[in-house]
Amino acid sequence: MKFFRLDSSIRIEDSVSRSLADLVEAEWARVHPDAEFVRRDLGRRPLPAIWPVAEASRATEEHARTDEQRAATAFAAELTDELLACDAFLLAVPIYNFGVPQQVKHWIDLIITDPRAADVGRQILPDRPAVLVEARGGGYAPGTPRAGWDHATPYMHRMLADVWGLDVVTVRAELTAADVNPAMAELRPLAHRLLAEARDRATDQARTIAERLRAAPKPRTPTAA
């Protein structure tokens, strides 16, 4: 069994998305003690800014590519190999400025330059389970002042579920900025309750996926182009 974990928070200490992802990973490791974890941390180690080069390489005949284009293409293939080799996925994505972190968008864009993932009408990871962990500093629920301002969740579900075919469940913590923002002080009890609920959901969803994989592991898509 092989699990993939993506972190993207620029906060290393006290990151809510990382802490929730830790709970998912711990449960997967408990149920599958011999499993391998493939980790990609875009917060600690952002990807090189090579998407324009990789995209240009995709439109260039192989014999005409520059060394820089070949290197970018090889790196995109490495990112795609990581996905295709895994059975389940954990993606920890905070919301920044009402959208996804730019390092997550860059990661997705690079993968789509790989020939195996370039056709967004053909799912490369059909029905494989995934947990999307979200941390949102404010509140975006219906009826709140910023309802509809969350542009991260729709994008992530579109890419993970509709484009790649993953069977996605979401674990979300809201109002995570309440403890550090004096203007949100009155929301702290609610924020603490929502975080506790997110922790319980993280463990529950992780356990469900781990048991599902133990009962009926699915074959992976070959990594060859």
Side-chain angles (χ1 to χ4, degrees):
M1 192 64 59
K2 187 177 287 190
F3 296 102
F4 177 83
R5 172 171 174 172
L6 183 85
D7 284 286
S8 57
S9 175
I10 59 175
R11 297 178 63 191
I12 308 305
E13 302 297 329
D14 301 321
S15 165
V16 173
S17 66
R18 290 178 186 276
S19 67
L20 291 173
D22 286 344
L23 294 174
V24 175
E25 180 176 332
E27 189 62 21
W28 284 354
R30 184 188 68 81
V31 179
H32 297 276
D34 297 325
E36 177 183 351
F37 282 84
V38 177
R39 296 181 176 85
R40 178 70 65 172
D41 194 327
L42 305 179
R44 285 187 171 96
R45 292 175 293 279
L47 303 181
I50 59 173
W51 175 76
V53 179
E55 183 64 21
S57 179
R58 181 164 65 147
T60 304
E61 295 290 338
E62 200 284 331
H63 71 274
R65 291 174 181 169
T66 65
D67 290 343
E68 184 183 24
Q69 288 175 335
R70 290 191 178 95
T73 295
F75 189 73
E78 177 185 335
L79 297 178
T80 307
D81 287 342
E82 288 178 347
L83 295 182
L84 294 177
C86 289
D87 301 285
F89 302 84
L90 167 59
L91 304 101
V93 181
I95 183 172
Y96 291 154
N97 301 318
F98 317 115
V100 297
Q102 64 87 18
Q103 56 267 30
V104 174
K105 180 68 164 55
H106 186 211
W107 173 74
I108 290 171
D109 286 341
L110 272 173
I111 290 169
I112 291 175
T113 67
D114 185 271
R116 294 163 292 179
D119 181 358
V120 296
R122 183 178 66 86
Q123 296 177 337
I124 62 172
L125 303 169
D127 300 321
R128 299 191 206 181
V131 178
L132 172 63
V133 171
E134 294 184 330
R136 312 200 295 194
Y140 301 90
T144 64
R146 284 187 171 159
W149 284 48
D150 170 14
H151 301 288
T153 304
Y155 172 78
M156 290 304 299
H157 277 269
R158 186 70 69 194
M159 297 308 302
L160 298 179
D162 296 340
V163 174
W164 289 350
L166 291 169
D167 181 8
V168 181
V169 295
T170 302
V171 174
R172 178 181 301 120
E174 286 201 326
L175 305 177
T176 60
D179 280 340
V180 296
N181 186 345
M184 299 175 65
E186 65 180 19
L187 296 172
R188 287 171 188 169
L190 175 59
H192 297 165
R193 178 172 65 80
L194 293 176
L195 181 56
E197 291 175 356
R199 287 171 174 158
D200 289 342
R201 179 169 171 77
T203 300
D204 290 344
Q205 293 297 331
R207 182 181 304 117
T208 298
I209 289 172
E211 295 292 351
R212 164 184 160 186
L213 289 172
R214 185 165 64 177
K218 292 189 175 182
R220 303 174 195 143
T221 303
T223 60

